[in-house]
Amino acid sequence: EAGVAQSPRYKIIEKRQSVAFWCNPISGHATLYWYQQILGQGPKLLIQFQNNGVVDDSQLPKDRFSAERLKGVDSTLKIQPAKLEDSAVYLCASSLLRSSYNEQFFGPGTRLTVL
Amino acid sequence: GQQVMQIPQYQHVQEGEDFTTYCNSSTTLSNIQWYKQRPGGHPVFLIQLVKSGEVKKQKRLTFQFGEAKKNSSLHITATQTTDVGTYFCAAAGGTSYGKLTFGQGTILTVHP
């Protein structure tokens, strides 16, 4: 079974530039999550999708971050414009169902450096 | 929002010593999951605890869920160099449907 795929693996940009990350979850997984993991901290949930609908985006900085999951499969996360404090690893995860009782499968992440 | 405190932040042990990390919440949890993240890697699911007072074992790893469902622990017996990594607890509160809040993690280093 293929795991969660993410690209790119690394990205370096200057502040005020824009960047986009892509995620392909495990086939059949209805729920998709985007996390931000700053060095030395645990993953922080940015947004959660159930199929192609948003169920939680309470911690997403909506003035600069946006995400979509068209057709309920792949997802993209965009930052525009980027700030220095956005430097982090962006992890995508998926689970079979929406319930917190489901384990989450994480992708390898995209390491973003904002200069 | 829900907060999950995890201690210690770092733990350095000699190979063969035991290791324990603790996770605490101020609110009652519906369930708690544990993940391991190897250096440079991504979090990988270890186990889930659901019932009050639950204890689960995986070889040298023992996981406990507190009676009040507000705390949990992970204990590793006789650590090995392969145990190196960051261990995270991830907790779901009673009203958090599908949303896990991760602790800051405990970084374990094992000296051979």
Side-chain angles (χ1 to χ4, degrees):
Chain A
E1 177 181 87
V4 176
Q6 287 188 249
S7 67
R9 293 294 311 277
Y10 305 91
K11 190 73 177 179
I12 301 174
I13 61 173
E14 295 190 347
K15 60 182 179 183
R16 290 186 290 273
Q17 286 187 322
S18 62
V19 65
F21 313 125
W22 174 82
C23 172
N24 182 234
I26 292 174
S27 177
H29 280 196
T31 310
L32 185 147
Y33 314 80
W34 282 102
Y35 288 90
Q36 179 193 58
Q37 186 175 24
I38 292 173
L39 187 64
Q41 298 182 19
K44 177 183 125 179
L45 181 67
L46 293 175
I47 190 167
Q48 177 183 344
F49 291 95
Q50 175 69 12
N51 296 313
N52 61 348
V54 176
V55 296
D56 191 321
D57 63 357
S58 57
Q59 298 191 98
L60 186 74
K62 298 179 185 65
D63 58 333
R64 298 184 301 106
F65 286 64
S66 64
E68 60 181 9
R69 190 184 184 195
L70 299 176
K71 300 180 182 179
V73 181
D74 293 8
S75 177
T76 56
L77 175 69
K78 296 179 182 178
I79 308 175
Q80 183 179 5
K83 293 185 176 181
L84 295 177
E85 59 260 37
D86 298 332
S87 293
V89 175
Y90 290 84
L91 294 162
C92 179
S94 68
S95 64
L96 189 59
L97 298 172
R98 179 182 169 187
S99 169
S100 67
Y101 294 93
N102 279 248
E103 71 175 276
Q104 295 185 17
F105 295 83
F106 285 82
T110 297
R111 183 176 298 277
L112 174 66
T113 302
V114 182
L115 303 175
Chain B
Q2 182 169 300
Q3 290 195 338
V4 177
M5 301 300 296
Q6 197 172 345
I7 57 170
Q9 190 172 358
Y10 304 94
Q11 187 76 56
H12 307 276
V13 300
Q14 288 293 130
E15 191 172 18
E17 292 182 337
D18 292 356
F19 158 77
T20 305
T21 174
Y22 301 89
C23 185
N24 297 288
S25 169
S26 58
T27 59
T28 303
L29 304 171
S30 60
N31 58 294
I32 195 162
Q33 297 180 0
W34 286 91
Y35 290 78
K36 177 183 179 181
Q37 186 172 26
R38 294 183 185 275
H42 55 276
V44 175
F45 176 82
L46 292 176
I47 208 157
Q48 173 169 255
L49 304 169
V50 178
K51 299 177 183 177
S52 168
E54 189 170 16
V55 178
K56 287 188 176 181
K57 293 189 176 184
Q58 287 181 349
K59 297 182 179 178
R60 295 178 293 105
L61 278 62
T62 302
F63 304 83
Q64 291 189 310
F65 203 5
E67 293 289 342
K69 298 184 73 174
K70 290 185 175 182
N71 61 285
S72 180
S73 65
L74 157 60
H75 179 82
I76 302 178
T77 303
T79 55
Q80 299 175 358
T81 54
T82 52
D83 296 325
V84 164
T86 303
Y87 292 85
F88 293 100
C89 62
T95 58
S96 299
Y97 193 77
K99 178 177 176 177
L100 293 176
T101 299
F102 280 77
Q104 72 176 56
T106 295
I107 300 172
L108 172 65
T109 57
V110 180
H111 301 284

